[in-house]
Amino acid sequence: SYSAAAAGMPLREADDAIDELVEANLAQEVGEHRYRFHDLVRLHAREQGPEHGSPEPRQVLLQIAEYYLCAAQATWAVTTAHLRGAEYSYATNPGDLAPRFSTAPEALEWLELERTNLIATIGAACEQGLWAVAWHVSYAIWPLFRFHGHHNDRRVADELAIRAAQSMGNAEWEARATRRLALLEQRVGNYERATELLDRCASLFRSADDAYGVANIQDARATLDLSNGRPEDAASRAQKARDEFLRLGHVRKAALAGLLRGEAELLSGAGAAALAHVRAAHRELVEFREVDPFNFARAELLLGRALAAAGDIGTAAPLLESGDEAMRLLRSRPGIALAHRARAEL
């Protein structure tokens, strides 16, 4: 599919062309449906391309990038159907070539297989000034980072997305990429850098008059407070975020903010309040379990932890088992780690 998109030809014709190259020892098969040129052959092909009517490299790159964007967005339906996308106008028509996925593991396996190419595509698109598609590909591969981590690749993708948004003068897109980078810095313990990024992000969302974005920053600051050993501040910020999400009609985000408040209260020793808020959030997230399976599993794990802390071991254990199983089905490394922690506490 990648080669067909690059060549601008139907999939069957691209397969036949690759087979001819392999038989002529001009291309090497390095894995299932994975091929590459020898360095000298690649150099020769680039020199010969213009003489034989090949498209301009920038056009070929756009075809590849839009193929990857279409394919990456196709993973959302089975991994992160709650994602708030952004409008993009395709210059090519990659829909017939892009894969379709029926399960989250299948989609994540594709993202993992294409990870190196996806990151390289974002970088190449930025080098060619294809800012919009660079930003969108970076945004579209969020399920890969949500479930599998890859912090170094995520940092590269986020920083390139910020660069692309700045080059387009799009404050909202810059803010959204900056928030993701801030959450990464928080996750790896760079709290000062995370705070700086969130300050910048809040200013950008306000300049774009994005009330949802501003509420999202409150939520992100609560997560940072929680990681930074300030659970009382985290609980207060999470409640403010919840109130704003409810005002704006974002029920799922409000439930997640309530879950965060309960987690903060659990860490601060307010066990009864924590259990009440986590239980309420878990109940609210039931209707979103299909579109956001990761956070529903997280809610099960946190409710199990809160019940265990209250001494209700019998009710806690099945919840932890269910949350653990869900994270394993999703193959979420961060989620499996959360499950191990919860079971260790139990």
Side-chain angles (χ1 to χ4, degrees):
S1 298
Y2 166 98
S3 300
M9 62 173 57
L11 185 59
R12 183 176 296 276
E13 290 184 24
D15 284 342
D16 290 342
I18 290 173
D19 287 342
E20 288 185 33
L21 291 171
V22 172
E23 289 175 7
N25 293 317
L26 292 174
Q28 302 168 330
E29 187 170 6
V30 294
E32 186 177 4
H33 304 303
R34 315 297 289 184
Y35 306 89
R36 76 170 163 230
F37 289 122
H38 185 279
D39 290 346
L40 292 176
V41 174
R42 184 187 298 111
L43 178 62
H44 179 69
R46 284 179 174 172
E47 291 175 346
Q48 293 296 310
E51 297 183 16
H52 294 273
S54 295
E56 290 294 322
R58 192 173 189 271
Q59 176 61 30
V60 174
L61 176 59
L62 178 61
Q63 291 168 190
I64 293 170
E66 291 195 338
Y67 161 77
Y68 273 130
L69 173 58
C70 186
Q73 287 179 333
T75 69
W76 294 3
V78 292
T79 58
T80 48
H82 61 280
L83 270 183
R84 186 174 69 125
E87 186 177 347
Y88 177 80
S89 298
Y90 281 87
T92 65
N93 186 26
D96 293 338
L97 298 174
R100 295 292 178 265
F101 307 102
S102 57
T103 66
E106 180 188 7
L108 292 168
E109 183 179 356
W110 181 87
L111 286 168
E112 191 67 59
L113 179 66
E114 297 290 349
R115 174 166 57 95
T116 300
N117 282 341
L118 287 162
I119 300 302
T121 297
I122 299 167
C126 284
E127 290 175 6
Q128 290 292 326
L130 297 170
W131 305 116
V133 74
W135 186 91
H136 278 272
V137 174
S138 175
Y139 186 86
I141 61 176
W142 170 246
L144 172 66
F145 303 137
R146 156 55 78 193
F147 292 101
H148 288 183
H150 296 302
H151 294 339
N152 290 337
D153 284 341
R154 177 177 167 181
R155 178 174 282 105
V156 170
D158 289 344
E159 289 177 344
L160 288 172
I162 292 170
R163 177 187 169 194
Q166 289 174 338
S167 297
M168 290 183 289
N170 191 315
E172 180 189 354
W173 289 9
E174 181 184 351
R176 288 165 74 170
T178 301
R179 179 179 178 274
R180 284 191 174 181
L181 182 57
L183 291 175
L184 172 61
E185 298 295 1
Q186 169 262 317
R187 174 167 287 185
V188 299
N190 296 334
Y191 301 136
E192 185 175 346
R193 175 61 174 155
T195 300
E196 293 172 355
L197 289 168
L198 288 177
D199 288 343
R200 168 69 175 158
C201 198
S203 176
L204 288 166
F205 276 130
R206 284 193 292 267
S207 71
D209 198 24
D210 187 338
Y212 175 89
V214 172
N216 241 347
I217 296 306
Q218 281 281 16
D219 187 78
R221 289 189 188 278
T223 301
L224 179 57
D225 285 337
L226 195 61
S227 298
N228 210 8
R230 299 195 299 268
E232 292 83 3
D233 292 341
S236 176
R237 288 189 192 274
Q239 184 59 47
K240 290 177 182 177
R242 175 176 170 80
D243 292 342
E244 187 62 10
F245 284 132
L246 285 174
R247 186 186 72 80
L248 295 170
H250 293 280
V251 179
R252 186 188 67 88
K253 288 292 291 185
L256 292 178
L259 190 67
L260 181 58
R261 176 181 176 177
E263 184 176 6
E265 290 168 334
L266 186 63
L267 290 179
S268 67
L275 181 56
H277 287 123
V278 172
R279 197 191 297 275
H282 178 268
R283 186 167 55 248
E284 292 169 352
L285 286 168
V286 168
E287 68 174 289
F288 301 102
R289 65 189 306 171
E290 297 298 325
V291 299
D292 190 3
F294 175 87
N295 278 311
F296 182 73
R298 188 166 71 90
E300 287 194 307
L301 293 172
L302 190 56
L303 180 55
R305 290 176 60 198
L307 287 164
D312 191 351
I313 304 299
T315 309
L319 282 165
L320 297 187
E321 183 176 347
S322 176
D324 189 354
E325 181 181 2
M327 291 301 189
R328 292 182 186 280
L329 286 174
L330 291 170
R331 300 180 188 177
S332 168
R333 293 166 187 163
I336 292 170
L338 289 175
H340 280 312
R341 173 183 175 179
R343 289 195 153 189
E345 288 177 348
L346 184 65

